[in-house]
Amino acid sequence: MTTFLGMPAGGGNLTGEPFPKAAREALGNAQLRRNLAKATSTIRAKRANVVGELPDWAQLRAAGAAIKDEVLADLDEHLVRFEEALTSRGTRVHWARDAEEANRIVCDLVRATGTREVIKVKSMATVEIGVNEALAGIGVHAVETDLAELIVQLGDDRSSHILVPAIHRNRAEIREVFRRGMPGVDPGLTDDPRALAEAARKHLRQKFMTVDVAISGANFAVAETGSLVVVESEGNGRMCLTLPRTLISVVGIEKLVPSWRDLEVFLQLLPRSSTGERMNPYTSVWTGPTEGQTSHVVLVDNGRTATLADPDGRAALRCIRCSACLNSCPVYERTGGHAYGSTYPGPIGAVLSPQLTGVDRNPTLPFASSLCGVCYDVCPVAIDIPSMLVHLRERVVSAKRTTPESTAMRALAWAMSDARRWRRLLGLGRFGRVASRHVPLPGWSTARDLPEPPKETFRDWWGSR
């Protein structure tokens, strides 16, 4: 594949209903709001405790941002270096321009094995491109082995959180999902967490021992050695990566870090920001296939080089998918992840999804924020999401056709750019405000009462002193 700036826009599961409509429906679900409030407040408190333990957290954060910026500045060189390292260790590398091409590659590889079932490690990239749906199209069933992803799959649901896809479900709801969708489950299953975990363990172990093809993503990819890294909490990742004879890893091209030394920074930032732990329970690293295994890596663009081409928006590619911004966002806590319509919900989704697809296909997401700035404060790689949202809003507005409001705003900007013109306009302002109190303005006066204008402006008062 030839890689160049201006690659095709991203496709797959990155768009949905307009955010205002979907959010209005979500706000009517009181159970959803209770589930989200309990889960996000718990994770927030854990994160704050472990981050507060590190006196050099600010320096770590700055280092993470600097490493990611270095990768993005020389992404082409790092990718070639990564491919050479992988190939020298026996892994075949495939390049995909967009979701369609990535799915075609994965489907061809799976079809060649003759299997009718694959097991999967939790992977945002595969959800983004819709690999499960593509495999279903050729008659192959993908089994999610991450507990939360399994809940979503058995419930015929959609993920609503980057780290905890079933965060919108409580224990009682999960028990019902297992009773309805898990073959052979005990009808007397309770909602005790141990019982639910044991039921999932029994169900998945049989899959681990019998399915010969696995699909993974990667949290990080080390260009220096061609190593891939998956961090997870349940041990399912290690089973998927080592037992099957064929391993296919779908990796976004922004996942690279230059060296092992750089990886050390992110293995401190990620667990503290995501689950509020000092270190994650399982870190699996593989450099080439295990003995008797065939290994493939599919490097996916899907709108990433288009994002890289925007100097004001490319920092979104620093994201390490920790979800700290989701857990802190007042908008996300009330609407949940489904309202965003994309694989990537919350503040990072509001800036990443429109850039991957083009703002014309996601025009409402940049407005799904109060711009309070807490997402920037908690981001472990210092992505200035509020400034990026304002930048994207400007692009959305600029792309729209001329409206009475946009015409009025341009006229106002013209008047305010000159002191003399602005003084004349202020003189007319009182007449306009008095008139507007008696003339209905659709969209403005429906829910607003204009205040009684003062007898004189501040400028008039100041000039009379």
Side-chain angles (χ1 to χ4, degrees):
M1 181 190 78
T2 303
T3 305
F4 56 91
L5 294 179
M7 293 282 285
N13 298 318
L14 293 171
T15 58
E17 280 191 319
F19 181 80
K21 181 182 178 187
R24 195 174 300 116
E25 294 173 6
L27 288 171
N29 188 337
Q31 183 64 54
L32 171 70
R33 293 204 307 276
R34 278 195 293 273
N35 295 347
L36 287 171
K38 183 176 180 181
T40 55
S41 61
T42 301
I43 300 173
R44 275 202 306 272
K46 289 178 66 179
R47 176 202 168 275
N49 286 336
V50 295
V51 166
E53 292 174 349
L54 293 183
D56 61 345
W57 178 255
Q59 289 80 2
L60 267 177
R61 188 174 182 241
I67 292 168
K68 279 291 186 179
D69 284 347
E70 181 201 333
V71 169
L72 296 175
D74 298 314
L75 186 58
D76 53 346
E77 295 177 11
H78 289 299
L79 283 169
V80 170
R81 192 176 168 209
F82 180 61
E83 181 186 26
E84 290 172 351
L86 276 173
T87 304
S88 69
R89 287 166 173 80
T91 296
R92 186 177 173 194
V93 178
H94 310 260
W95 298 81
R97 295 177 176 83
D98 52 23
E100 184 180 351
E101 186 168 16
N103 285 330
R104 187 166 60 247
I105 293 169
V106 172
C107 286
D108 288 345
L109 292 172
V110 172
R111 192 186 283 115
T113 67
T115 188
R116 309 309 297 171
E117 199 167 50
V118 302
I119 50 177
K120 280 186 65 197
V121 188
K122 182 178 181 301
S123 158
M124 297 304 296
T126 59
V127 179
E128 172 192 324
I129 64 175
V131 80
N132 285 14
E133 296 89 330
L135 288 171
I138 60 169
V140 175
H141 178 55
V143 180
E144 299 287 353
T145 63
D146 174 83
L147 178 57
E149 290 284 10
L150 179 66
I151 294 166
V152 168
Q153 184 176 46
L154 292 177
D156 196 21
D157 201 352
R158 289 184 297 134
S159 169
S160 67
H161 192 276
I162 289 175
L163 183 71
V164 194
I167 196 171
H168 55 289
R169 298 282 194 186
N170 60 28
R171 286 186 293 168
E173 292 174 314
I174 293 168
R175 178 191 58 194
E176 293 308 310
V177 167
F178 280 12
R179 281 178 174 173
R180 288 196 304 268
M182 187 176 285
V185 74
D186 180 2
L189 180 68
T190 70
D191 63 0
D192 177 70
R194 285 178 180 272
L196 295 172
E198 184 60 24
R201 188 176 292 116
K202 285 180 180 175
H203 171 71
L204 291 174
R205 183 160 293 276
Q206 187 265 340
K207 301 293 182 185
F208 289 136
M209 302 306 293
T210 57
V211 179
D212 249 356
V213 179
I215 296 176
S216 82
N219 293 95
F220 305 103
V222 184
E224 179 183 45
T225 58
S227 304
L228 292 161
V229 184
V230 163
V231 296
E232 39 103 9
S233 303
E234 300 163 15
N236 62 303
R238 192 158 297 177
M239 302 286 273
C240 289
L241 299 171
T242 54
L243 292 178
R245 288 185 173 276
T246 302
L247 174 62
I248 304 166
S249 303
V250 180
V251 183
I253 58 174
E254 84 284 13
K255 293 290 186 179
L256 293 180
V257 295
S259 67
W260 274 96
R261 186 171 183 178
D262 300 312
L263 182 63
E264 173 192 336
V265 173
F266 296 103
L267 292 183
Q268 295 182 72
L269 289 171
L270 182 57
R272 290 176 189 268
S273 299
S274 55
T275 54
E277 296 172 298
R278 296 182 182 90
M279 62 182 293
N280 52 284
Y282 294 91
T283 300
S284 297
V285 183
W286 69 104
T287 306
T290 59
E291 186 176 355
Q293 189 183 61
T294 303
S295 173
H296 299 266
V297 170
V298 183
L299 290 170
V300 181
D301 186 299
N302 205 37
R304 285 163 175 79
T305 52
T307 304
L308 186 63
D310 182 354
D312 296 315
R314 68 176 53 152
L317 296 176
R318 290 182 196 160
C319 178
I320 57 174
R321 313 288 192 262
C322 71
S323 71
C325 61
L326 278 70
N327 300 328
S328 304
C329 176
V331 176
Y332 176 86
E333 186 172 305
R334 285 156 182 79
T335 64
H338 292 161
Y340 293 80
S342 167
T343 299
Y344 304 107
I348 188 61
V351 296
L352 187 58
S353 303
Q355 294 195 90
L356 292 177
T357 62
V359 292
D360 57 324
R361 291 179 55 204
N362 261 315
T364 60
L365 285 185
F367 298 88
S369 169
S370 64
L371 300 180
C372 67
V374 69
C375 49
Y376 177 45
D377 294 341
V378 299
C379 178
V381 286
I383 301 174
D384 187 354
I385 293 176
S387 296
M388 213 173 287
L389 285 166
V390 173
H391 164 65
L392 292 173
R393 290 179 185 186
E394 191 272 335
R395 286 176 56 186
V396 172
V397 172
S398 298
K400 282 184 176 177
R401 62 181 177 81
T402 302
T403 63
E405 181 183 357
S406 64
T407 302
M409 289 298 173
R410 276 198 291 273
L412 189 61
W414 174 78
M416 294 178 75
S417 64
D418 181 273
R420 189 175 298 175
R421 283 199 293 263
W422 180 235
R423 278 197 296 273
R424 288 201 199 101
L425 185 67
L426 287 175
L428 297 172
R430 176 174 168 74
F431 171 77
R433 279 177 288 173
V434 171
S436 65
R437 286 176 61 81
H438 305 287
V439 178
L441 299 174
W444 280 89
S445 57
T446 306
R448 301 176 180 86
D449 291 323
L450 289 175
E452 181 69 30
K455 293 180 180 177
E456 62 179 350
T457 66
F458 173 79
R459 284 173 178 268
D460 293 338
W461 172 80
W462 185 259
S464 65
R465 286 169 60 86

